[in-house]
Amino acid sequence: MKRAPKRTLWRLMFANPASAVYLGVVGLAVAVAVIQPLFADHGLESLIWVWPALLTLPTFALVALAGEALFGAETATWYLIAGVIVAALVQSLALGAAWTALRRPRRRLDPSRG
């Protein structure tokens, strides 16, 4: 019996420990990046948004390159924030797939069955 694709995608992306912890860490980094300028006196000159980008780096690098190709050197801020979110979800899916593959019981080969 096959599972529904939406349910499988949801399970791989959110409903396993590896993905949940990863998304929690990225979410915390984004929350700190959003809140930090409210309490700092230097305004928007902070490099706090580097942390969410670094946490999503392998996938975010592709998003940033695509943004530079589309928008030039002045990539829109909304695009980069959306890129962090998309990169985190893609990497969460990959972590969920790896978690499932590692937790799946392995079939043993029976030498008596030719």
Side-chain angles (χ1 to χ4, degrees):
M1 184 169 152
K2 291 219 172 217
R3 293 181 188 235
K6 288 181 186 177
R7 184 174 178 205
T8 301
L9 188 66
W10 178 266
R11 184 178 47 83
L12 289 176
M13 202 176 292
F14 300 107
N16 62 70
S19 296
V21 168
Y22 174 72
L23 288 175
V25 169
V26 172
L28 181 65
V30 169
V32 168
V34 168
I35 293 172
Q36 188 265 345
L38 299 175
F39 300 106
D41 57 351
H42 51 73
L44 297 175
E45 295 130 13
S46 174
L47 292 175
I48 196 72
W49 278 99
V50 169
W51 288 105
L54 286 175
L55 289 172
T56 59
L57 193 67
T59 308
F60 183 72
L62 298 174
V63 172
L65 287 173
E68 189 172 340
L70 289 171
F71 300 110
E74 295 296 320
T75 304
T77 304
W78 65 266
Y79 179 82
L80 294 175
I81 294 171
V84 166
I85 294 169
V86 168
L89 291 175
V90 167
Q91 289 184 181
S92 173
L93 178 65
L95 278 171
W99 177 266
T100 302
L102 291 173
R103 300 282 297 169
R104 183 176 297 142
R106 300 182 192 266
R107 292 190 330 194
R108 298 205 181 254
L109 296 176
D110 189 6
S112 63
R113 301 174 97 192

